[in-house]
Amino acid sequence: MESRTFFNLPDGTAAHLYSLRNRSGFGADITDWGGAIVRLLTPDRDGKLTDVVLGFAEPSEYVENDPFFGALIGRVANRISGGKFELDGKCYQLECNDTDRPNTLHGGKSYGRRQWRATVIDDATLELALTSPDGDAGFPGKVEVKVTYHVGEDNSLSIDYRAETDKTTVVSMTNHAYFNLNGEDSGSCDGHTIRIAADRHTEVNALLQPTGRNPEVAGTVYDLRQPVRFEDIHRALPNCFDDNFVLADRDGEFKENIATAASERTGITMNVSTTAPGIQFYMGFFLGGSIRGKSGNHYPQFSAFCLEAQAWPDAVNHPEFPSIRLEPGQVYHQKTVYRFGVAR
């Protein structure tokens, strides 16, 4: 596996970039800073390798990584209402970092802004490890995390997450890659379609906090069980989606091809399979044109989408949701596979 210095951190140490490839050239470049997917190359209908994830023009911008381009997210993905929760009778207050809303977003001091310990397994496999101390960002328990990236010969990128704790805590991880199957420098997601095999979605209030209801999608704009064009979504919902779609009522069962995105322009398709009980479909509302991307172009609003497999948002404050509680002696495990192809 090829590796090189990606950029130098403020303390003088180096962040590295690892290139995972299969025999056909499909692959991903991963940095040990935040575990971020920096580049993902997949063939279009003409066989041209196309980079389909957004990223920064200047590698040093990954230090802060706002808005989490390709980053590993933890200790808890998505939003925690009010930035607080109760566990075994004890209240925990976290950092509220969700723009102007009183929520903790992606764990506050996210794992996507940390140096991970990298171990090269083979040319197609990279293991990243992180120690999250007791009290990290306000969460209880020392947690040891391992994330394994693997590039398959079937043009897939799998992400395997594992975590163990020495004290009762909560864990829900994901990856925050921003995809554009037209190519990261195309400036638009026009011509995309999306299908998500979910019968329900998680209702939120004006502060993007779950209400506790998970209504049926049938007969609503949330019904994505058959492919829907992005342009049609935008006409129906000018702010587009930033919503959790319910895949299961419990964690751990591997669900094949629960979401499919496709580009009419390049022919590139992406199928998502996961053990997670939910998937957050976000369409890039908060991209505002200020970020200069890898090709030198600025990323406008709605120029990418995310499909983040994870637990339901704010599960720690909703006992009726699938639990994200992790006990000593247990192993948190989540696996998500992004498989790429071409529609002829």
Side-chain angles (χ1 to χ4, degrees):
M1 179 187 298
E2 178 186 350
S3 66
R4 61 180 175 84
T5 297
F6 188 37
F7 64 91
N8 289 316
L9 294 160
D11 65 2
T13 60
H16 298 90
L17 193 68
Y18 299 83
S19 296
L20 289 66
R21 297 289 186 272
N22 68 14
R23 285 176 290 186
S24 65
F26 170 90
D29 291 349
I30 312 291
T31 177
D32 54 11
W33 179 260
I37 302 171
V38 173
R39 191 173 290 104
L40 202 161
L41 299 170
T42 192
D44 66 9
R45 63 163 59 91
D46 298 319
K48 177 187 174 184
L49 287 174
T50 302
D51 186 3
V52 295
V53 295
L54 273 58
F56 296 103
E58 295 296 331
S60 61
E61 293 187 58
Y62 280 94
V63 172
E64 292 299 325
N65 199 353
D66 184 9
F68 304 103
F69 281 149
L72 293 176
I73 302 298
R75 184 171 301 190
V76 174
N78 217 305
R79 293 174 174 87
I80 295 178
S81 298
K84 57 187 176 183
F85 64 93
E86 184 177 307
L87 200 60
D88 294 337
K90 184 176 180 179
C91 293
Y92 295 89
Q93 180 64 58
L94 313 173
E95 172 193 4
C96 290
N97 64 328
D98 187 16
T99 318
D100 297 322
R101 291 174 291 272
N103 304 312
T104 296
L105 178 63
H106 297 326
K109 295 178 176 64
S110 178
Y111 293 175
R113 294 165 181 159
R114 311 280 182 89
Q115 182 81 38
W116 291 65
R117 303 184 299 274
T119 302
V120 173
I121 306 300
D122 55 44
D123 285 348
T125 312
L126 179 70
E127 181 185 272
L128 297 175
L130 181 74
T131 300
S132 177
D134 185 19
D136 191 6
F139 290 97
K142 176 183 175 182
V143 174
E144 297 289 348
V145 184
K146 285 188 178 179
V147 176
T148 304
Y149 284 105
H150 175 73
V151 165
E153 291 299 327
D154 59 349
N155 288 0
S156 63
L157 177 66
S158 66
I159 313 175
D160 190 281
Y161 310 80
R162 294 179 185 271
E164 296 181 78
T165 184
D166 65 354
K167 184 188 300 184
T168 301
T169 190
V170 288
V171 176
S172 170
M173 295 186 64
T174 193
N175 180 277
H176 210 309
Y178 284 68
F179 297 101
N180 186 326
L181 304 183
N182 293 336
E184 68 85 22
D185 59 345
S186 65
S188 170
C189 282
D190 288 352
H192 279 65
T193 58
I194 183 68
R195 176 197 62 87
I196 301 178
D199 295 329
R200 292 172 290 151
H201 73 97
T202 299
E203 181 184 80
V204 296
N205 61 22
L207 297 175
L208 301 182
Q209 299 167 339
T211 64
R213 296 184 64 247
N214 294 280
E216 299 283 336
V217 302
T220 76
V221 70
Y222 293 90
D223 193 346
L224 304 179
R225 292 174 294 180
Q226 297 297 322
V228 178
R229 290 173 57 86
F230 277 35
E231 292 91 325
D232 294 336
I233 293 171
H234 190 78
R235 279 190 288 271
L237 289 173
N239 291 346
C240 294
F241 285 113
D242 188 4
D243 294 90
N244 176 62
F245 287 79
V246 172
L247 306 179
D249 287 309
R250 62 190 182 94
D251 197 8
E253 294 180 353
F254 192 69
K255 297 163 286 296
E256 292 273 4
N257 299 333
I258 51 81
T260 302
S263 164
E264 297 170 353
R265 187 183 305 179
T266 62
I268 295 172
T269 63
M270 181 178 77
N271 291 313
V272 186
S273 303
T274 186
T275 61
I279 193 164
Q280 188 83 7
F281 178 38
Y282 168 55
M283 297 179 69
F285 173 80
F286 295 107
L287 293 173
S290 62
I291 297 172
R292 188 165 68 93
K294 289 176 287 187
S295 300
N297 299 321
H298 288 255
Y299 294 137
Q301 192 176 45
F302 306 122
S303 59
F305 66 95
C306 304
L307 286 169
E308 305 160 69
Q310 58 190 256
W312 302 2
D314 202 29
V316 70
N317 288 313
H318 290 273
E320 71 277 19
F321 288 6
S323 177
I324 62 171
R325 183 183 178 110
L326 183 67
E327 303 280 3
Q330 294 179 334
V331 178
Y332 165 84
H333 181 223
Q334 195 254 90
K335 183 176 182 178
T336 297
V337 180
Y338 297 93
R339 185 171 289 105
F340 294 83
V342 176
R344 302 293 180 181

